[in-house]
Amino acid sequence: MKTIVITGASSGLGEELTRRFAAEGNQVCALARSVDKLETLKNEYPENIHVFQTDISSDDDVEKSFKAIEKQFTSIDLLVNNAGFVGGGEVDKVDWSKEDWESSAKVLDINLKGTMYCCFAAIPLMKKEQAGRIINISSIAALPGGALPMFLKDDGSVKSGVYAMSKAGVNAIGETLGYSLHQNNITLSTIMPGAIDTPLWYNEKGESRYPIKDAKLMSVEEVADTICFVAAQPNYICFKTITMFPICEWK
């Protein structure tokens, strides 16, 4: 049995991972802003899912939640930094509106700073046990040119480029932290999925946010399979980066 922390646990990939790890008998600390969704999920596995209302873009919120987790479980075996936000201004727009700036700041606060906050909160708990694994969920948007199939619009402009920047920062976290953690038997893996069929893919009208024609989306179950495989390995085996995408994205 492991103690596992999952951010963005109330929907999509995070919800799937929370359910899977709980079904295996692990103690899963589910972090998200939506308490109602988390409580509904907890009802499925009341002995294994523990709800922590957390806005990961707030360092105070993250610190409070991880202190509560430490008090209850002492240490953490696995952290999955899954929470993410899609949005931001178009990087080639000169006249950004106030809404563009606010949306872009939110993307960076959640995707980049939130991942950093959770890593720095979890690492001391893992170092106490000289063991642990961190899995950061990035995106192929972080790769050079990787964002173009999803974000290139018909007029040649790049949509949601700030999202790509934030995920490139997540990759950098893996590069800078990863090797230094090995001496403490802590592994850090970065998984870069392509298009996943989650609520983030659609706008408020239920339409695709991205102009990929005949896009084939990966299911949350397919991506969760890979994450669970990595999580099941002994700590001395490290998967530094894994890139996965439906091949039609590159056509």
Side-chain angles (χ1 to χ4, degrees):
M1 181 182 70
K2 296 179 180 180
T3 300
I4 298 171
V5 178
I6 300 174
T7 68
S10 61
S11 64
L13 181 59
E15 179 182 358
E16 174 68 16
L17 290 170
T18 298
R19 186 176 286 109
R20 283 199 192 193
F21 285 128
E24 294 172 356
N26 299 293
Q27 297 300 313
V28 182
C29 302
L31 277 58
R33 289 175 294 179
S34 174
V35 172
D36 292 342
K37 290 183 178 180
L38 288 179
E39 290 294 349
T40 299
L41 189 58
K42 176 180 173 63
N43 289 337
E44 297 181 28
Y45 301 94
E47 302 299 320
N48 298 91
I49 295 178
H50 310 272
V51 172
F52 296 86
Q53 184 179 25
T54 311
D55 177 359
I56 66 164
S57 68
S58 164
D59 56 343
D60 289 337
D61 247 27
V62 170
E63 181 180 8
K64 179 180 177 181
S65 292
F66 275 81
K67 282 185 176 180
I69 292 169
E70 181 181 16
K71 183 176 181 180
Q72 187 170 353
F73 298 104
T74 306
S75 63
I76 296 170
D77 298 294
L78 170 65
L79 165 65
V80 181
N81 279 311
N82 164 74
F85 178 73
V86 177
E90 298 172 12
V91 293
D92 53 354
K93 271 182 65 175
V94 178
D95 55 337
W96 271 23
S97 65
K98 180 181 179 181
E99 290 74 19
D100 287 331
W101 284 109
E102 290 177 346
S103 178
S104 297
K106 184 176 180 180
V107 170
L108 294 172
D109 285 345
I110 294 175
N111 296 356
L112 182 55
K113 292 168 66 175
T115 297
M116 182 177 66
Y117 291 152
C118 291
C119 282
F120 289 162
I123 288 170
L125 304 186
M126 294 179 175
K127 282 185 174 180
K128 286 198 307 183
E129 302 297 324
Q130 288 293 292
R133 184 180 293 276
I134 298 171
I135 299 175
N136 290 338
I137 308 302
S138 180
S139 167
I140 65 164
L143 299 174
L148 293 182
M150 285 195 293
F151 300 148
L152 191 63
K153 300 196 296 185
D154 291 339
D155 63 2
S157 62
V158 179
K159 181 179 181 181
S160 297
V162 175
Y163 174 80
M165 294 177 190
S166 72
K167 290 302 187 179
V170 171
N171 287 8
I173 291 174
E175 293 289 340
T176 54
L177 276 181
Y179 288 115
S180 65
L181 294 176
H182 290 175
Q183 61 186 328
N184 301 109
N185 197 34
I186 300 169
T187 62
L188 195 161
S189 300
T190 303
I191 296 182
M192 294 180 283
I196 310 174
D197 191 0
T198 72
L200 285 178
W201 186 260
Y202 306 97
N203 61 22
E204 295 77 7
K205 299 179 180 179
E207 302 166 335
S208 173
R209 295 177 184 271
Y210 307 107
I212 305 179
K213 295 179 181 179
D214 302 320
K216 179 175 175 58
L217 307 183
M218 294 182 292
S219 69
V220 292
E221 291 82 7
E222 289 166 336
V223 180
D225 286 343
T226 299
I227 295 170
C228 289
F229 173 78
V230 172
Q233 304 308 306
N235 275 5
Y236 67 86
I237 297 178
C238 179
F239 296 85
K240 184 181 177 185
T241 56
I242 296 176
T243 305
M244 55 188 303
F245 55 88
I247 58 174
C248 64
E249 289 184 14
W250 296 89
K251 291 182 179 179

